């Protein structure tokens, strides 16, 4: 079952096999974020993967799968490893508290529950989680353009590859390169070149609006966009849309054939499986980008297994 509060700044998953306990927790925490509920371990794991909560309040004693087992699976899942887990239990012995911390819990609340204590503990760990997320975002950002860096790209692709393989959905990738960028730097200088890349990055971000789409600086004047749940046709449409948005910028480039800054785009979409790998997906995108460059730049190419890439 699933309930929502009026505040959507944070997401909390409450897990307990007792509906009475869930109603109590919902009453205590209703103002602290968007609430989701599960009454058993498997349901908790499924909802956690689907909703990506910031914090989980997890009952220890549940039939079938204990809270400790649920927490262990959460911490082993790349999608959920950073979620804060607070255990809720009637046990008050040191052994149970140590066990909760050993499997990855951040705190331990004993029953019967005291509402002010529950709210204070949840508020504390939500604040810590938000601070941790902020630091992680800063570490994963490219200092010049503000988009994700290569380190973040590796993490994003790892998560999305596994998720799309699990649900059997296509994962789209777009790799783009600024055409004649060396000539641009030679003509206008490196400071102006940096400004050009910032304009390009902002335009890509503005053109990438679906949930979970991520823009990353791949290196130099190359960028990559991760396009979740995006089939070949949708990926191709995105590539042409992106090309058009860069045209609309109309950044002057006197050493370009068109007189403005343009990009070349390589595209690939595939349902991940056990026989493919992330480096292979990137390589396919890179080959498609090479195809676009080879055929005159300022265009989109898609990867095809038979001959690496074709004009689109």
């Amino acid at each position: 079952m699933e309930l929502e509060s009026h505040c959507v700044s944070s997401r909390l998953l409450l897990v307990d096999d007792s509906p009475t306990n869930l109603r109590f927790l919902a009453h205590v925490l209703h103002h602290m974020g968007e609430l989701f509920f599960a009454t058993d371990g498997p349901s908790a794991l499924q909802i956690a993967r689907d909703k990506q909560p910031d914090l989980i309040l997890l009952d220890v004693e549940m039939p079938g799968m204990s809270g400790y087992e649920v927490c262990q699976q959460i911490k082993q899942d790349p999608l959920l490893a950073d979620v804060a887990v607070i255990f809720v239990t009637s046990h008050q012995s040191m052994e149970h508290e140590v066990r909760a911390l050993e499997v990855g819990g951040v705190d331990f609340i004993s029953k019967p529950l005291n509402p002010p204590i529950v709210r204070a503990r949840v508020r504390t760990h939500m604040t810590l989680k938000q601070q941790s997320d902020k630091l992680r975002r800063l570490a994963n950002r490219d200092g010049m353009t503000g988009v994700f860096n290569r380190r973040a790209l590796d993490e994003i692709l790892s998560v999305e590859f596994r998720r799309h393989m699990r649900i059997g959905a296509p994962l789209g990738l777009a790799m783009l390169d600024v055409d004649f960028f060396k000539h641009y730097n030679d003509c206008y200088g490196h400071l102006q070149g940096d400004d050009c890349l910032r304009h390009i990055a902002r335009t890509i971000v503005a053109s990438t609006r679906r949930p979970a789409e991520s823009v990353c600086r791949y290196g130099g004047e190359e960028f990559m966009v991760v396009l979740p749940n995006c089939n070949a046709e949708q990926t191709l449409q995105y590539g042409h849309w992106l090309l058009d948005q860069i045209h609309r910028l109309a950044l002057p480039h006197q050493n370009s054939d068109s007189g403005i800054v343009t990009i070349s785009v390589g595209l690939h979409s595939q349902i991940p499986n056990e026989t493919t790998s992330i480096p292979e997906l990137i390589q396919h995108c890179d080959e498609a980008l090479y195809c676009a460059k080879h055929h005159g730049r300022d265009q989109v190419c898609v990867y095809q297994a038979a001959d690496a890439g074709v004009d689109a």
Side-chain angles (χ1 to χ4, degrees):
M1 70 181 160
E2 199 174 292
L3 300 175
E4 298 183 7
S5 74
H6 296 294
C7 176
V8 295
S9 59
S10 301
R11 292 185 167 195
L12 290 80
L13 172 58
L14 312 181
V15 186
D16 198 303
D17 62 330
S18 167
T20 300
N21 290 341
L22 289 178
R23 283 192 291 269
F24 176 80
L25 286 170
H27 174 72
V28 172
L29 301 171
H30 72 278
H31 65 293
M32 299 191 69
E34 186 176 9
L35 304 183
F36 301 95
F37 297 79
T39 55
D40 58 68
S43 298
L45 290 170
Q46 185 59 52
I47 294 173
R49 293 185 180 110
D50 291 341
K51 303 300 182 180
Q52 298 288 292
D54 298 290
L55 183 143
I56 299 174
L57 265 71
L58 181 58
D59 186 27
V60 171
E61 299 295 336
M62 294 187 294
M65 178 183 285
S66 73
Y68 297 138
E69 293 172 307
V70 174
C71 188
Q72 284 179 316
Q73 291 202 27
I74 286 171
K75 294 305 174 181
Q76 292 170 1
D77 189 330
L79 289 170
L80 304 174
D82 294 325
V83 177
V85 177
I86 297 177
F87 282 102
V88 181
T89 179
S90 57
H91 297 294
Q92 299 185 24
S93 68
M94 181 180 296
E95 290 78 10
H96 283 282
E97 186 168 355
V98 170
R99 174 65 171 154
L101 298 175
E102 285 179 343
V103 298
V106 297
D107 208 342
F108 187 95
I109 302 177
S110 298
K111 299 177 182 178
L113 300 176
N114 183 311
I117 290 178
V118 172
R119 283 191 289 265
R121 295 282 183 89
V122 169
R123 187 179 297 111
T124 295
H125 288 290
M126 289 301 302
T127 299
L128 291 173
K129 176 67 165 55
Q130 291 167 359
Q131 292 172 344
S132 176
D133 288 346
K134 183 178 180 179
L135 290 173
R136 191 177 298 108
R137 285 193 297 269
L138 290 173
N140 286 337
R141 292 287 175 176
D142 175 60
M144 188 181 73
T145 63
V147 300
F148 287 118
N149 56 25
R150 182 67 178 271
R151 171 186 173 183
L153 174 63
D154 292 340
E155 295 178 359
I156 291 167
L157 282 177
S158 176
V159 169
E160 293 298 338
F161 186 92
R162 296 188 187 197
R163 183 169 74 88
H164 284 70
M165 183 164 61
R166 178 171 58 85
I167 64 178
L171 176 61
L173 295 177
M175 182 182 288
L176 62 100
D177 182 87
V178 182
D179 296 326
F180 301 111
F181 189 68
K182 182 180 183 303
H183 297 326
Y184 187 96
N185 275 334
D186 292 342
C187 178
Y188 299 97
H190 287 279
L191 291 179
Q192 189 70 22
D194 290 348
D195 283 339
C196 174
L197 292 180
R198 281 190 280 267
H199 282 298
I200 296 291
R202 284 195 293 267
T203 301
I204 302 171
V205 171
S207 305
T208 309
R209 299 173 178 172
R210 297 195 318 161
E213 291 180 339
S214 303
V215 180
C216 309
R217 188 179 181 192
Y218 191 68
E221 65 272 22
E222 286 188 332
F223 296 86
M224 178 167 280
V225 185
V226 182
L227 303 166
N229 301 300
C230 204
N231 61 30
E233 181 179 355
Q234 293 168 326
T235 304
L236 181 59
Q237 290 174 350
Y238 170 79
H240 284 298
W241 163 255
L242 192 56
L243 208 70
D244 182 62
Q245 298 309 299
I246 300 301
H247 283 173
R248 290 173 180 270
L249 271 180
L251 296 175
H253 187 350
Q254 67 181 37
N255 287 335
S256 171
D257 295 339
S258 59
I260 61 173
V261 172
T262 61
I263 60 172
S264 299
V265 184
L267 302 168
H268 181 52
S269 175
Q270 180 180 336
I271 299 176
N273 57 63
E274 297 288 353
T275 64
T276 61
S277 66
I278 293 173
E280 287 179 8
L281 298 186
I282 295 176
Q283 178 64 28
H284 294 338
C285 240
D286 189 53
E287 290 177 9
L289 176 60
Y290 175 81
C291 172
K293 291 285 190 181
H294 181 72
H295 285 81
R297 298 180 172 84
D298 190 21
Q299 60 185 275
V300 174
C301 281
V302 296
Y303 174 83
Q304 289 191 351
D307 54 0
V310 296
D311 292 327

